[in-house]
């Protein structure tokens, strides 16, 4: 009897209160060949691309590792990435070459798109700009996002963003000039997008009722039971783990079991005693963990192959109360005296959140490996140093194996001649499976990638 095979795009379906819900499946043995190196039908395991972006740059003297190569030691700022160090390459000594007209604006556009920014009439703002070309997530999505349910997934963590200086500072993902893909900051809305079908409230009501927001698992239970009767013992265990993960996310979104409240009342925990008057304390790490688990499931279930996480925006007013900061991060980068220990502590905390994202992907098995094995994530910021607005010696982290395209274990590569940051973006795009001969425009145009981080 031939082994039971499942198409990678199989989903479980059902209804809740007359509303259709669906649940994509995790990577199961039945979806892969005998040794787990390809899908059962012979196609390659999909590769993915992600962006993790934070505002305000870093303190370079505590960011750059002191040694290079595969045995490098993580710097103080990068220490949280120790749990996934084998998956991490650090690139230093490079520069954004797309122009430096306006610090944070120029850096954000250059490092996210490899193209110059578009300056716009300020209209009373200190400055205003937008992207001239798609950001790299959308470059990837145009090539590898066509067959997944969602071309790309955009999420955000800190809501303390600068919304008054054009799309550059307000959004991460762009399709082109004044054409952003806004990040979703509410994890319950991300959950609904992934596992529902775009449910809308009944006429005359503000939101969905508690009864309608039952667990998605309740709606697909019949399909689950039918599938369990056909798969192997190992796949039953994997399916149960997946269902437990979904239930766990649901429970964390609501804070109590089983049913989810209307999205308008689902808020991340707010600590008492807000700092800075109306600037309430954002629970950044818990938000990151929730969004990371949702992203990991979306990738594992092949709902999308491209994602971006805007952890914090350029010139943000995020207050990192977790490290005892009491003012917004952008102001802190300019005003903190000395060697800026609080700014450095904010970077360490941010890298812990990047580590949480990587661990979430690593924890999901896929074929003979895990989801992080088949993903390339680029992490960077809008400037190299927030106080100096510099675009040289730019902070760049690349995580994941990229389906074997990227070096494992990762390396620290330091450029000796201020190479173009676009070469790293080019490598990440190639790791996601894109076949290109050049990338970028203007000063960001390159025809070679950063081969030092490639396998």
């Amino acid at each position: 009897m031939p082994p039971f095979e499942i198409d990678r795009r199989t989903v479980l379906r059902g209804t809740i209160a007359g509303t259709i819900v669906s649940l994509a499946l995790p990577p199961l043995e039945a979806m892969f060949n005998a040794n787990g190196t390809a899908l059962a039908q012979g196609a390659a395991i999909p590769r993915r691309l992600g962006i993790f972006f934070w505002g305000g740059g870093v303190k370079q003297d505590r960011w750059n590792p002191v040694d290079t190569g595969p045995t490098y030691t993580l710097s103080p700022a990068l220490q949280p990435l120790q749990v996934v160090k084998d998956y991490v390459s650090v690139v230093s000594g490079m520069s954004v070459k797309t122009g430096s007209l306006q610090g944070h604006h120029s850096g954000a556009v250059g490092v996210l798109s490899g193209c110059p920014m578009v300056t716009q009439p300020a209209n009373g703002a200190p400055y205003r700009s937008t992207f001239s070309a798609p950001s790299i997530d959308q470059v990837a999505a145009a090539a590898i996002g066509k067959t997944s349910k969602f071309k790309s997934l955009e999420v955000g963590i800190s809501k303390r963003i600068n919304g008054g200086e054009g799309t550059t500072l307000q959004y991460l993902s762009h399709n082109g000039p004044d054409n952003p893909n806004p990040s979703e900051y509410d994890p319950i809305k991300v959950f609904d997008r992934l596992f529902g079908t775009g449910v809308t409230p009944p006429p005359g009501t503000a939101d969905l009722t508690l009864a309608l927001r039952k667990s998605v698992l309740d709606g697909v239970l019949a399909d689950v039971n039918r599938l369990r009767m056909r798969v192997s013992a190992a796949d039953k265990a994997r399916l149960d783990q997946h269902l437990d993960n979904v239930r766990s996310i649901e429970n964390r979104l609501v804070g109590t079991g089983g049913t989810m409240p209307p999205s308008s009342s689902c808020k991340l925990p707010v600590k008492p005693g807000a700092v800075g008057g109306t600037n309430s304390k954002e629970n950044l790490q818990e938000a990151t963990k929730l969004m990371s688990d949702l992203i990991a499931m979306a990738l594992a279930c092949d709902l999308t192959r491209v994602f971006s996480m805007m952890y914090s925006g350029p010139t943000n007013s995020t207050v990192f109360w977790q490290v005892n900061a009491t003012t917004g991060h952008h102001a802190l980068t300019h005003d903190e005296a000395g060697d800026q220990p609080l700014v450095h502590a904010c970077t360490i905390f941010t890298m812990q959140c990047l580590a949480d994202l990587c661990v979430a992907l690593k924890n999901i098995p896929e074929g003979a490996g895990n989801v992080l094995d088949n993903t390339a994530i680029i992490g960077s910021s809008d400037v190299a140093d927030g106080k100096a607005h510099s675009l040289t010696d730019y902070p760049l982290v690349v995580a994941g194996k990229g389906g074997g395209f990227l070096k494992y274990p990762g390396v620290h590569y330091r450029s000796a001649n201020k190479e173009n940051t676009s070469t790293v973006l080019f490598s990440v795009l190639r790791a996601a499976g894109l076949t290109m001969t050049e990338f970028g425009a203007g000063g960001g145009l390159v025809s070679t990638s950063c081969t030092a981080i490639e396998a």
Side-chain angles (χ1 to χ4, degrees), residues 250-308:
E250 289 178 327
N251 291 345
R252 286 157 61 200
L253 287 173
V254 67
T256 183
T259 59
M260 292 187 291
S263 57
S264 60
S265 65
C266 177
K267 300 182 185 298
L268 294 171
V270 177
K271 301 291 182 181
V275 293
T278 59
N279 195 339
S280 61
K281 293 184 176 181
E282 297 180 299
N283 197 329
L284 301 174
Q285 190 165 15
E286 177 58 22
T288 303
K289 287 182 176 180
L290 273 170
M291 289 297 196
S292 296
D293 285 347
L294 288 166
I295 288 169
M297 295 184 70
L299 297 179
C301 298
D302 207 27
L303 295 174
T304 191
R305 298 179 182 180
V306 179
F307 72 89
S308 61

Side-chain angles (χ1 to χ4, degrees), residues 356-369:
D356 291 339
L357 170 63
C358 293
V359 168
L361 272 59
K362 183 184 176 184
N363 282 346
I364 297 187
E366 182 172 55

